[in-house]
Amino acid sequence: MNIYEYAIKNSRADLEKEYEKQNSRNNRVRMNLIFAAIILMFIVSVLIMMLTSIAFSYERKLKAANSQINANLEFKNRLLGMLSHELRSPLKIISILIGRISEKTNDEEIKEYLRSIDFTSNSLLLQSNQILEYTKNQRIENKLIPVTFNLNSQIRAILNSVEPYIQTRNNRFIIHIDIHPGLTVYSDNTKINQIFMNILGNANKFTENGQITVNTKAEKTDDDTILLSTEIIDTGTGISKSDLKKIFEPYYQGVLSEDVQNIGAGLGLSLCKELVELYNGNISVTAEEKIGTSVFFYLKLKVKQ
C-alpha cells in the first residue's frame, strides 16, 4: 500500500511538473504572438500613415493642377471671346466695302470674285458669332441653328468661294450639282459650309496638279425631308489602309508626308463627322495610296413649306 501511494505521489508530481512546463511554454507562445501582433499593428499603422500622407500629397497636387487647368481654360475663353468679338467689326466693314466696289464695276468676273469674298467674309462672321456665344456659355451643346435658305444657291456659293483656293495648287475643280434651283430648306447653312470647307480643304491640301471633283444632289425622301448626298473625290496622295481605320479620330494625322505643308491639327474629319451626325447623316471615306481619296456624306434637311 505504501508503495502504491508512493507511486501515485510521484506520478502526480510528474504530472504537475509537466503541466507547469506546458503552461510556461504556452505563456511564452502567447507572449510571442502578442508581441508579433503589436509589431504587425505598428507596421500597418505606419503604412496607413504613409499612404494617407501620399494621398493628401496627391490631393494637393490634383487641386493645384485643377486650379491651373481652370485658369488656362479661363484665359483661353477670354482670348477666344476677345478675338471673336474684335473680328466682327472688320468683317462687317469688309462686306460693306465689297458692296461698294461691286456697285462701281461692270466687270462680271470681278463681281464674281467679290461675291466669293463676301460669302467667305459672312461665313467667318457667323463662325465668330458662334465662338463668342460658346465662350459665354460653355455648357451649350453643339446643335443646328436652322434658317431658311435656297439650297442650290448656298451650295454654289460655297463651291465658288473655295475655287480660287483650289486653283492655287494648280488643281482642276469639277462640279456636278443636281439640286432644283427653287428648292428652299430650313436648316443650318453655316455647318453645311463647315463640312464642305473642311473636306475640300483636305482634298486640296493633299492634291497638287491634279483634280478635285464634287458630285452633289438633293432628293426628296418624303414631303418634309430632303436627302443631300455629296461625294468629293481627289487625285491626291491617298490614305493607307492602316490610317483609314483611324481617320475620324481627333488629332489623328497618320504618317506625315514631307511633300505636304501646313498639314493642320488633324481635327477636320473628326469635326465633319460630328457635324454630319447633327443632320442625322453619315460620312465615310475610301482611299488608295498615290491614287486619291473619296469622301461621301449625306445630310437630312427639312423642306421649307
Side-chain angles (χ1 to χ4, degrees):
M1 192 68 173
N2 290 333
I3 295 171
Y4 177 73
E5 287 178 356
Y6 179 77
I8 289 175
K9 285 181 181 179
N10 285 339
S11 296
R12 184 181 296 168
D14 290 340
L15 287 172
E16 286 176 353
K17 287 179 181 179
E18 186 65 29
Y19 179 73
E20 287 177 1
K21 194 183 293 183
Q22 186 66 34
N23 273 344
S24 177
R25 191 181 299 118
N26 289 342
N27 287 335
R28 284 198 302 272
V29 170
R30 195 176 295 113
M31 289 299 295
N32 288 337
L33 287 173
I34 291 170
F35 184 70
I38 291 171
I39 293 174
L40 183 61
M41 288 176 64
F42 176 75
I43 293 171
V44 170
S45 299
V46 170
L47 287 173
I48 290 173
M49 289 175 64
M50 289 175 62
L51 291 173
T52 304
S53 175
I54 292 169
F56 277 123
S57 174
Y58 276 119
E59 186 179 2
R60 285 193 298 272
K61 290 179 181 178
L62 185 60
K63 285 181 179 179
N66 283 333
S67 297
Q68 186 62 48
I69 290 170
N70 290 330
N72 290 341
L73 286 173
E74 186 179 349
F75 175 75
K76 180 204 72 174
N77 289 331
R78 282 174 53 203
L79 185 62
L80 283 174
M82 181 183 69
L83 288 174
S84 58
H85 182 271
E86 295 303 319
L87 277 173
R88 292 190 302 171
S89 295
L91 290 170
K92 288 176 182 177
I93 292 170
I94 289 170
S95 292
I96 293 169
L97 293 174
I98 288 169
R100 290 180 180 177
I101 295 170
S102 183
E103 290 173 358
K104 293 182 179 294
T105 182
N106 294 321
D107 190 319
E108 285 302 320
E109 187 177 358
I110 292 176
K111 284 191 174 185
E112 185 62 34
Y113 283 133
L114 289 172
R115 279 193 288 269
S116 295
I117 295 169
D118 188 46
F119 176 81
T120 305
S121 176
N122 287 331
S123 297
L124 286 171
L125 182 60
L126 288 169
Q127 290 297 322
S128 64
N129 287 335
Q130 286 188 346
I131 292 170
L132 185 60
E133 187 63 32
Y134 174 75
T135 55
K136 289 179 181 177
N137 183 10
Q138 293 181 46
R139 290 172 293 182
I140 190 170
E141 293 183 7
N142 197 2
K143 62 181 180 180
L144 300 179
I145 304 173
V147 295
T148 301
F149 61 95
N150 182 285
L151 184 60
N152 184 284
S153 299
Q154 182 72 26
I155 299 299
R156 289 187 184 278
I158 294 170
L159 299 178
N160 288 339
S161 69
V162 81
E163 185 171 10
Y165 170 62
I166 288 173
Q167 291 171 348
T168 59
R169 291 179 63 81
N170 198 31
N171 290 318
R172 286 195 303 152
F173 194 35
I174 310 298
I175 300 171
H176 299 119
I177 299 177
D178 185 11
I179 302 173
H180 192 279
L183 179 59
T184 303
V185 296
Y186 182 68
S187 190
D188 192 324
N189 59 337
T190 304
K191 291 182 176 59
I192 292 175
N193 181 25
Q194 282 183 270
I195 294 167
F196 272 91
M197 288 296 189
N198 272 290
I199 297 173
L200 287 168
N202 279 343
N204 194 55
K205 191 185 299 178
F206 293 96
T207 307
E208 189 171 14
N209 300 317
Q211 179 174 301
I212 297 173
T213 305
V214 178
N215 299 315
T216 183
K217 63 179 180 178
E219 299 174 296
K220 261 196 173 186
T221 57
D222 54 51
D223 292 336
D224 299 319
T225 309
I226 287 290
L227 189 70
L228 175 67
S229 54
T230 303
E231 186 176 25
I232 297 174
I233 308 163
D234 68 63
T235 59
T237 57
I239 305 168
S240 68
K241 289 182 180 179
S242 59
D243 287 335
L244 204 56
K245 296 175 183 177
K246 303 177 181 180
I247 201 68
F248 291 110
E249 292 181 8
Y251 303 105
Y252 187 76
Q253 297 175 316
V255 179
L256 304 184
S257 172
E258 295 179 356
D259 299 329
V260 180
Q261 297 179 349
N262 188 25
I263 198 160
L267 281 170
L269 284 176
S270 172
L271 175 63
C272 286
K273 187 175 188 295
E274 181 182 337
L275 295 177
V276 165
E277 289 173 352
L278 292 177
Y279 293 88
N280 295 317
N282 192 32
I283 183 170
S284 59
V285 180
T286 57
E288 194 169 342
E289 283 189 278
K290 298 182 180 179
I291 292 179
T293 303
S294 174
V295 180
F296 175 81
F297 66 91
Y298 69 82
L299 312 174
K300 292 181 181 179
L301 311 176
K302 187 177 180 181
V303 179
K304 180 64 177 178
Q305 302 293 348

